[in-house]
Amino acid sequence: MYTLTEAEFRKEAEPMLKRVFVDYDFTNQPFSSAITERRIVYPCGGSFDEAIPVKVLVSAATEVGDEGCYITSLWEDEGAPRHCYVSLSELLVGYGDTTGNDNQMIGINLGMDIYELDSVIYSAQGRWGIMMCHEYCGLLGGSPDFMAMIESGVPSFNMQVYDFFERYRGFRESGIEPTLGWLPPLLSHIYGQEVAKVMLAKSHLGCSLYKSKQNRDA
């Protein structure tokens, strides 16, 4: 494992990142057009392993030919590294706090906060990536075979988006009205507009979000 300077990131890692995510703002159609298999996964409170176990992601990445991945923080923290490379074996034992051995932890070894809400972990070959968002969800995309292996290893994979919706239903039921104008475009970007409308209707958040957006655009 090693950190990258900004110049090294631009040369070495960013081309791989851009194969998956062309924009780092999750509300602004972030996925590359080359990534056709996309999902919202939840919860991702800075790390992804509650939604996607690390061993499942590492297994899928290994099967599609990866040996390592990059981690990039989307927030600038003056003086601290923002980018690093880790092998998949290092990710497996050093991402989650499961080994009880601090010497194997990535963040401790590199002096980098790898659990920030706005961060990206992505294939060193540009075959998959997961963006952790400050809405406590993750945007996961990858090649069809990679995503099929994730689906096989995570029974809740395709239903996690509905758990994500429950977060906002809870806000509404407690009297807080969240601002969700960004949600319909994001769902359309990931699942397609017609599927997204059905999903919102099933979520009880309602297709009124689409109507309000159309009224604003008129």
Side-chain angles (χ1 to χ4, degrees), residues 44-216:
C44 290
S47 64
F48 67 81
D49 53 336
E50 191 173 349
I52 308 295
V54 179
K55 63 181 181 180
V56 173
L57 184 136
V58 166
S59 177
T62 300
E63 286 296 317
V64 298
D66 276 323
E67 296 182 356
C69 63
Y70 295 104
I71 304 175
T72 287
S73 169
L74 301 178
W75 286 97
E76 292 189 21
D77 185 1
E78 188 173 353
R82 293 182 53 218
H83 317 282
C84 68
Y85 170 88
V86 297
S87 68
L88 292 178
S89 61
E90 290 168 333
L91 185 72
L92 181 62
V93 301
Y95 184 74
D97 189 13
T98 58
T99 65
N101 187 348
D102 286 349
N103 292 329
Q104 294 180 301
M105 300 304 292
I106 297 167
I108 291 175
N109 274 279
L110 299 180
M112 175 179 169
D113 184 357
I114 62 170
Y115 302 114
E116 292 188 7
L117 284 173
D118 292 279
S119 60
V120 191
I121 300 176
Y122 49 105
S123 161
Q125 299 184 84
R127 292 179 173 174
W128 55 267
I130 181 167
M131 180 186 294
M132 270 69 71
C133 309
H134 58 257
E135 293 292 335
Y136 292 88
C137 69
L139 308 185
L140 178 69
S143 61
D145 49 350
F146 171 85
M147 295 292 276
M149 284 182 280
I150 296 291
E151 184 174 1
S152 176
V154 183
S156 66
F157 184 51
N158 289 317
M159 300 304 295
Q160 289 182 9
V161 63
Y162 294 102
D163 294 331
F164 177 57
F165 293 155
E166 286 298 310
R167 168 180 166 84
Y168 298 105
R169 284 190 62 196
F171 287 155
R172 286 183 169 179
E173 289 171 0
S174 66
I176 300 171
E177 187 62 35
T179 301
L180 295 176
W182 52 270
L183 183 56
L186 178 64
L187 292 175
S188 293
H189 173 62
I190 294 175
Y191 298 99
Q193 185 169 344
E194 294 306 314
V195 172
K197 286 182 178 180
V198 172
M199 293 173 72
L200 276 176
K202 289 176 63 176
S203 75
H204 304 292
L205 291 174
C207 291
S208 60
L209 290 170
Y210 277 100
K211 294 177 182 178
S212 63
K213 180 181 183 297
Q214 290 169 351
N215 290 337
R216 288 196 306 273

Side-chain angles (χ1 to χ4, degrees), residues 33-44:
S33 60
I35 300 296
T36 56
E37 293 295 321
R38 312 164 181 178
R39 300 288 192 283
I40 289 177
V41 295
Y42 178 85
C44 290

